[in-house]
Amino acid sequence: MSGTRTVVLAGASGFIGRYFRVRFEKDGWTVRTIGRRGAKGSPSATWDDDDARLAQVLDGAELLVNLAGRSVSCRYSARNKAAIRESRVSTTAALGRAVALCREPPSTWLNASTGTIYRHAMDGPQTERDGELGTGFSVDVARAWEAELAAAVTPGTRKVPLRISIVLGPGGGALRPFAILARMGLGGWMGPGTQKFSWIHVEDLYRCVRFLHARKDITGPVNVASPDVVDNRELMRMVRRAYGARFGIATPAWLLRLGAVLIRTETELVLKSRWVQPEKLLDAGFVYSQPELGRALQQIARGRA
């Protein structure tokens, strides 16, 4: 490819997408976006556009990163379940059709997936090689998401599903509710407190995307997580320390379930044990800028991360 390097960010209006746009532009890339009609930032195309218009945006770009997907922080009603699945599967399908129409398609397509695809794991880490997929709604969505990516007929484009763990970073991400609880004195462990917490700093997620684009030899699903996995007790202790909370009342599972109903979310977000091991990244020599959770939380709390 000649000239300025171009990336297409699909689903660029969320916390991760906004961060990626700033970072790619800072690194000298031209950024095109595909998003919802009416979303901030005037996307280059919207999901309401036809395949030909999406192909125009993709043509000549060297990298496609798809982050599209409705937030899972809601009650899993039939309506919300359908919207969560549709927002992931249909957008991936649309991109597949559009890439197939490109005269000069992206060489790499990195498509968001989730580390939640693995089972509730308390007994050992789940790697790309020997991890066991779980059951339930979230896993079914992740399977359908990855299946849609695999089904796209794009012989000139390498497709990699990113099994992303919980993303932390300044100004958003999954940390905010934990920080609020800590400030309210409710920052103790949740449920049994032994469930594992896999995470990735948003900067390392960005760096991982750049790394995987450059490493053409890496194929198949990639676990995107820090190797520094902690349990929920340790997580909340670090959150309290980062936000200056002297104590934190523990929350039993039954109270979490009641509270989840009141704030219209699901307890799976904190009770499922996610133990995601980034074997492919580690074997390939990826170096983390934020490898330690305690230090990352301190920097985020101080607004320096």
Side-chain angles (χ1 to χ4, degrees):
M1 303 255 177
S2 60
T4 305
R5 307 184 78 180
T6 299
V7 58
V8 176
L9 298 179
S13 61
F15 162 65
I16 298 171
R18 294 193 304 270
Y19 188 92
F20 273 29
R21 182 168 192 168
V22 170
R23 288 295 283 112
F24 270 111
E25 290 177 344
K26 182 178 179 182
D27 285 345
W29 288 60
T30 295
V31 178
R32 303 173 189 164
T33 61
I34 300 172
R36 291 176 287 105
R37 188 177 300 280
K40 293 180 180 179
S42 299
S44 309
T46 75
W47 298 115
D48 296 323
D49 290 330
D50 60 20
D51 296 345
R53 173 56 189 151
L54 296 183
Q56 287 179 343
V57 174
L58 291 166
D59 220 348
E62 66 173 275
L63 173 60
L64 165 60
V65 183
N66 180 26
L67 303 165
R70 175 179 165 160
S71 171
V72 296
S73 183
C74 61
R75 295 298 291 172
Y76 288 167
S77 65
R79 182 176 181 178
N80 285 341
K81 282 183 175 182
I84 288 170
R85 180 186 174 102
E86 177 74 6
S87 67
R88 287 158 172 76
V89 176
S90 68
T91 52
T92 301
L95 290 173
R97 295 191 303 270
V99 170
L101 293 175
C102 291
R103 289 174 299 177
E104 192 179 2
S107 62
T108 307
W109 175 2
L110 303 178
N111 205 77
S113 180
T114 173
T116 301
I117 198 170
Y118 297 110
R119 65 174 173 85
H120 177 89
M122 300 286 289
D123 55 340
Q126 307 297 296
T127 72
E128 300 96 336
R129 175 175 44 85
D130 59 9
E132 300 173 44
L133 303 191
T135 58
F137 168 68
S138 296
V139 174
D140 290 345
V141 170
R143 284 175 177 267
W145 204 359
E146 292 190 6
E148 197 63 57
L149 177 67
V153 181
T154 57
T157 301
R158 178 175 56 112
K159 302 174 297 183
V160 178
L162 304 179
R163 292 177 175 173
I164 304 170
S165 55
I166 294 174
V167 182
L168 306 179
L175 183 59
R176 184 171 296 169
F178 294 114
I180 292 172
L181 288 172
R183 291 187 178 114
M184 294 173 62
L186 300 173
W189 66 86
M190 301 169 180
T194 53
Q195 66 272 30
K196 298 295 185 179
F197 179 78
S198 284
W199 62 283
I200 185 78
H201 192 282
V202 67
E203 173 64 15
D204 279 326
L205 177 55
Y206 169 75
R207 294 176 64 253
C208 171
V209 161
R210 295 288 307 275
F211 181 83
L212 290 173
H213 176 46
R215 288 292 300 266
K216 308 299 184 186
D217 57 314
I218 298 176
T219 59
V222 174
N223 289 348
V224 183
S226 166
D228 183 28
V229 179
V230 302
D231 64 24
N232 181 264
R233 285 177 181 254
E234 184 70 2
L235 164 67
M236 296 313 297
R237 184 186 69 79
M238 291 178 175
V239 169
R240 292 196 305 272
R241 184 176 64 188
Y243 288 91
R246 292 188 175 183
F247 67 91
I249 299 172
T251 313
W254 67 266
L255 188 56
L256 280 173
R257 293 187 183 98
L258 177 61
V261 172
L262 295 175
I263 64 174
R264 304 188 67 77
T265 189
E266 292 288 336
T267 56
E268 178 192 45
L269 301 176
V270 293
L271 292 181
K272 181 171 181 176
S273 185
R274 295 170 172 85
W275 195 343
V276 181
Q277 178 73 5
E279 187 173 74
K280 286 186 179 180
L281 286 175
L282 293 174
D283 287 350
F286 180 74
V287 178
Y288 291 80
S289 67
Q290 294 281 359
E292 299 173 7
L293 179 58
R295 184 171 297 178
L297 291 175
Q298 293 276 350
Q299 293 184 354
I300 292 169
R302 294 169 185 167
R304 297 206 307 262

